[in-house]
Amino acid sequence: MKKIAIIGAGISGLCIANLFKDHKDYQVTIYEKRNSIEMEEGYGIQLSVNSVKLLNKMGFTSFDEKEKFNPKKIDFYEIRNSKKICDLDISKFNSEDCKYTTLKRSKLIQFLKNKLDENIIKYNHSIEQIDYDKDSIKLIFNKNKITCDYLIISDGVFSKGKSLIASNKSKPIYNDTIAIRGSISRENLQNINEENISLFLGADFHCVVYPINNNKNCNFIGILKHKLSSNEQENHNLFTESSFVKNIKLKLSQKVSQSFLQSLQNIQLFPIFVSKNLYNPPKNIFLLGDAFFAFSPSFAQGASQSIEGANELYECLINNNNFYDIRLKRVKMINSRSNFNQFAFHLSNPIMTTFRNIFLKLLTNNKKFLQSYLGKIYKS
Ligand SMILES: Cc1cc2nc3c(=O)[nH]c(=O)nc-3n(C[C@H](O)[C@H](O)[C@H](O)COP(=O)(O)OP(=O)(O)OC[C@H]3O[C@@H](n4cnc5c(N)ncnc54)[C@H](O)[C@@H]3O)c2cc1C
C-alpha cells in the first residue's frame, strides 16, 4: 500500500483525501498545522458547475438544500449610479443535478471533513522540513518525522511546503488589492434582484453580493485597489490595526453609499496575494490548490480549481499521467481570464467604462463568446 501525505486541510487537501480514502492501494493522512479545521462562520464561496459536478461524486447531491443557493444570473451594475448594465444567465451551464452554487465556505469544509475518518487528519502538524531522494520522501514536523511515497502540498497561497522544496523561489506577490469581506441582510438590499449574484463595477473597485443559503443573509465581497509598502506587506497585524481599518473604510465610503456601508456586518480585510510563477516539483511531490497557483479572485475560481485540481491529481496518480502539464494548461487559461476580469471591472476612465459597458451588453448575449469564455471553464 502506498502512503500519501497531504500537507494542509483546506478545500484542496480535504478533497484529495476524500478521493483516495476508499482506494485499497493508498493510505492517506492529512497533516494540518492548526489544532482544528478552520470553520470561520459567515463568509461565502461560489462554486461553478465544473466543481459541483466533481463534488457530486463525493455525495454533494445530498447536501442540505437549505444551506446552499443556486443563483440564476449575474447582474452587472455601475456603482456610481446603481444602474443595471446587463445580466448574464449562468444557469445556462446548469444541468438537472449540477447547478452553479453559492454557500458558506464553512459548510463546504464541514461537508468534506465529515466524509473522512477522524484519524485521517493529524492536527498541530506544521511542516518544518522536507527531505527527498528518488526513492523516498521524509517529512519533519514540529513533533515527529514520517516517511511517505507521495507528498501532496496543499497548504495555501503562502505554502511553507512549497517554499521548502522550491528554496523560496516561488513566493506569491501582493496583487495591489484588498479584499473586504462582510455580510449584509437581504432586507437592506434595495433595487437588486436578491435571487441573483449582483456585481457592482466602479473605479479601482468592484464588489459582489450574493445569497449563501435560503436564510436572510447575503455575502459581501469587495475588491479595492490599494498599494502597500513592502513593510506593510510584511506586517501581519496591519489588517486588524484600527487606523488601517478606518482608512480602508473611509476609502470604501467613497465607493459605496453610506446606508450600504452601515448595513455591512462582520467586516474583515485581507490582502490579496497571487502567484507570479509556476513551480514543477520533484518526482512524487505535487502542489495542489492555492499552493499550485493562486488566482486573483475576480473570476471566483479559486475553490472550484482546488476541487478540479484534486480530481485531476487523483486521476493522474491512478493512471500514471503527468499532473503538472495537465494542470498548467487550465491554470494559464483561468489566470488570464481572472486578470482580464479585474482589469475590466476596475476601469476608471469614463470613455473606457462606456465602451466596457457596451461590450458587456453585447457579449453577455453572445452565445459563441459565452461558450468560449465561460463554457470552456464551466464545462471542463
Ligand atoms: C477574497 C477572496 C475571495 C474568494 N472568493 C472565492 C469564491 O467566491 N469562489 C472560489 O471558488 N474561490 C474563492 N476564493 C479562493 C479560495 O478561497 C481559495 O482558492 C481556496 O480556498 C484554496 O484552498 P486551498 O485548500 O488550496 O488552501 P487553503 O484554503 O488556504 O488551506 C490551506 C490549509 O493548509 C494549512 N496550512 C498552512 N500552512 C501549513 C503548514 N506549514 N503545515 C501544515 N498545514 C498548513 C492551513 O491551516 C489550511 O488549513 C477567494 C479568495 C479570496 C482571497
Side-chain angles (χ1 to χ4, degrees), residues 37-48:
I37 298 266
E38 200 226 306
M39 292 284 191
E40 202 177 352
E41 270 294 319
Y43 301 120
I45 205 151
Q46 300 179 45
L47 297 173
S48 46

Side-chain angles (χ1 to χ4, degrees), residues 6-14 30-34 36-38 44-48 51 100 102 105 109 122 124-128 141 153-161 164 178-181 210 219 221-223 270-273 288-307:
I6 301 168
I7 300 177
I11 294 170
S12 52
L14 291 169
I30 306 181
Y31 299 93
E32 165 59 46
K33 79 167 174 188
R34 296 176 196 249
S36 64
I37 298 266
E38 200 226 306
I45 205 151
Q46 300 179 45
L47 297 173
S48 46
S51 57
Y100 198 105
T102 53
R105 186 194 172 94
I109 300 259
K122 309 286 179 214
N124 297 311
H125 277 69
S126 182
I127 187 71
E128 308 258 293
F141 295 93
I153 298 173
S154 53
D155 53 356
V157 58
F158 300 109
S159 176
K160 169 106 182 267
L164 288 172
I178 288 178
I180 304 157
R181 284 189 164 266
Y210 57 85
N219 184 71
I221 166 102
I223 307 292
F270 304 90
I272 298 182
F273 280 79
L288 197 59
D290 281 4
F292 188 105
F293 197 91
F295 305 95
S296 113
S298 308
F299 204 1
Q301 273 293 309
S304 289
Q305 287 310 305
S306 295
I307 297 162

Side-chain angles (χ1 to χ4, degrees), residues 20-69:
F20 273 110
K21 70 175 183 182
D22 295 324
H23 200 299
K24 62 178 180 20
D25 298 335
Y26 298 89
Q27 182 199 52
V28 281
T29 311
I30 306 181
Y31 299 93
E32 165 59 46
K33 79 167 174 188
R34 296 176 196 249
N35 56 14
S36 64
I37 298 266
E38 200 226 306
M39 292 284 191
E40 202 177 352
E41 270 294 319
Y43 301 120
I45 205 151
Q46 300 179 45
L47 297 173
S48 46
V49 286
N50 45 321
S51 57
V52 174
K53 187 169 141 195
L54 301 171
L55 284 175
N56 283 350
K57 289 192 203 165
M58 299 176 208
F60 195 62
T61 37
S62 57
F63 189 88
D64 189 349
E65 286 294 324
K66 290 199 256 20
E67 298 291 358
K68 62 179 179 177
F69 195 82

Side-chain angles (χ1 to χ4, degrees), residues 82-123:
S82 299
K83 267 197 184 154
K84 187 170 162 185
I85 306 168
C86 58
D87 55 58
L88 166 61
D89 187 356
I90 41 171
S91 69
K92 277 187 184 149
F93 300 97
N94 291 351
S95 59
E96 183 56 33
D97 60 352
C98 186
K99 299 189 171 92
Y100 198 105
T101 302
T102 53
L103 75 170
K104 278 186 184 175
R105 186 194 172 94
S106 56
K107 295 289 172 193
L108 175 63
I109 300 259
Q110 200 168 35
F111 162 80
L112 293 168
K113 182 191 166 230
N114 289 350
K115 300 234 157 241
L116 297 173
D117 280 349
E118 292 245 312
N119 58 5
I120 282 188
I121 309 176
K122 309 286 179 214
Y123 295 103

Side-chain angles (χ1 to χ4, degrees), residues 271-328:
I272 298 182
F273 280 79
V274 294
S275 300
K276 192 175 154 215
N277 43 35
L278 285 132
Y279 174 74
N280 191 359
K283 193 171 168 247
N284 295 340
I285 302 182
F286 306 92
L287 300 171
L288 197 59
D290 281 4
F292 188 105
F293 197 91
F295 305 95
S296 113
S298 308
F299 204 1
Q301 273 293 309
S304 289
Q305 287 310 305
S306 295
I307 297 162
E308 222 186 272
N311 199 68
E312 272 169 19
L313 179 54
Y314 173 76
E315 299 282 341
C316 285
L317 273 175
I318 301 285
N319 299 313
N320 214 5
N321 289 335
N322 188 327
F323 169 68
Y324 180 80
D325 288 349
I326 294 174
R327 190 90 285 261
L328 185 67

